[in-house]
């Protein structure tokens, strides 16, 4: 296996490894444009994933620090699902994906990168986005800068 160095990921690894504060709790206090927060609801917020699986990958998280969906109130859950739908609408209008993966990883064994704060991944998909680069070269290409995706999603957010 070839090793391709990706030093830009170090900031992410360092953040998670030495995190004293929850990523999602920390993001809530940041400026929207600096944290890539696309939308703030009453109970949840939508943030662009800065280490995305695909261009346009967002996460919907509650403000409250809870580790599982069953600990959320009905109001929080309703808004969470509504924001997933609005995220899909904004991504469709902005990037025209052919499909989506919607997922929640609860607990570290399930793949949760931030196991203490539940969040929903909304990942746009296109035919061929899993091409030879990730399969053969274990390299992911992202054709649009985060700042441009953020701008598009903000402009196309449903009212």
């Amino acid at each position: 296996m070839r090793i391709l160095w990706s030093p830009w990921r170090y900031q992410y690894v360092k953040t998670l490894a030495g995190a004293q504060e929850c990523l999602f709790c920390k993001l809530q206090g940041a400026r929207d444009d600096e944290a890539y927060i696309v939308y703030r609801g009453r109970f949840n917020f939508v943030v662009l994933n800065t280490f995305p699986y695909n261009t346009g990958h967002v996460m919907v998280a509650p403000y409250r620090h809870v580790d599982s969906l069953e600990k959320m109130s009905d109001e929080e859950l309703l808004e969470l699902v509504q924001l997933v739908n609005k995220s899909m609408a904004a991504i469709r209008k902005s990037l025209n994906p052919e499909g989506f993966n919607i997922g929640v990883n609860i607990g570290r064994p399930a793949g949760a990168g931030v196991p203490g704060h539940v969040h929903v991944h909304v990942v746009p998909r296109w035919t061929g986005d899993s091409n030879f680069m990730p399969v053969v070269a274990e390299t992911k290409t992202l054709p649009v800068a985060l700042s441009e995706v953020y701008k598009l999603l903000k402009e196309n957010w449903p009212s």
Side-chain angles (χ1 to χ4, degrees):
M1 178 183 304
R2 289 181 54 210
I3 296 174
L4 296 176
W5 297 103
S6 53
W8 57 90
R9 299 260 318 155
Y10 177 64
Q11 186 60 41
Y12 172 71
V13 172
K14 186 172 74 173
T15 300
L16 288 182
Q20 299 298 318
E21 184 179 3
C22 167
L23 171 66
F24 293 106
C25 292
K26 183 178 179 180
L27 285 173
Q28 293 174 46
R31 285 184 22 191
D32 288 1
D33 60 338
E34 290 177 355
Y36 294 114
I37 294 175
V38 177
Y39 181 81
R40 290 181 187 264
R42 184 172 169 207
F43 302 106
N44 303 273
F45 66 103
V46 179
V47 62
L48 190 61
N49 189 330
T50 55
F51 299 96
Y53 297 122
N54 267 345
T55 299
H57 176 177
V58 299
M59 298 173 293
V60 182
Y63 294 119
R64 219 164 45 88
H65 185 88
V66 293
D67 62 359
S68 188
L69 295 172
E70 71 253 330
K71 294 181 181 173
M72 295 175 68
S73 71
D74 288 345
E75 287 179 306
E76 289 170 318
L77 284 168
L78 176 60
E79 186 186 74
L80 182 93
V81 173
Q82 290 171 332
L83 292 181
V84 167
N85 279 344
K86 287 184 176 192
S87 296
M88 290 173 61
I91 294 167
R92 278 189 202 281
K93 192 170 181 182
S94 301
L95 301 168
N96 198 29
E98 298 171 78
F100 287 90
N101 287 123
I102 309 296
V104 183
N105 303 322
I106 298 174
R108 188 153 322 270
V114 184
H117 200 131
V118 70
H119 54 284
V120 178
H121 292 267
V122 180
V123 183
R125 300 302 305 266
W126 294 266
T127 302
D129 66 13
S130 290
N131 57 31
F132 75 95
M133 287 296 284
V135 174
V136 175
E138 296 185 11
T139 301
K140 186 74 175 176
T141 58
L142 299 171
V144 185
L146 284 174
S147 57
E148 183 64 22
V149 174
Y150 177 73
K151 180 181 168 196
L152 285 168
L153 294 180
K154 291 285 280 186
E155 288 172 0
N156 291 307
W157 190 261
S159 52

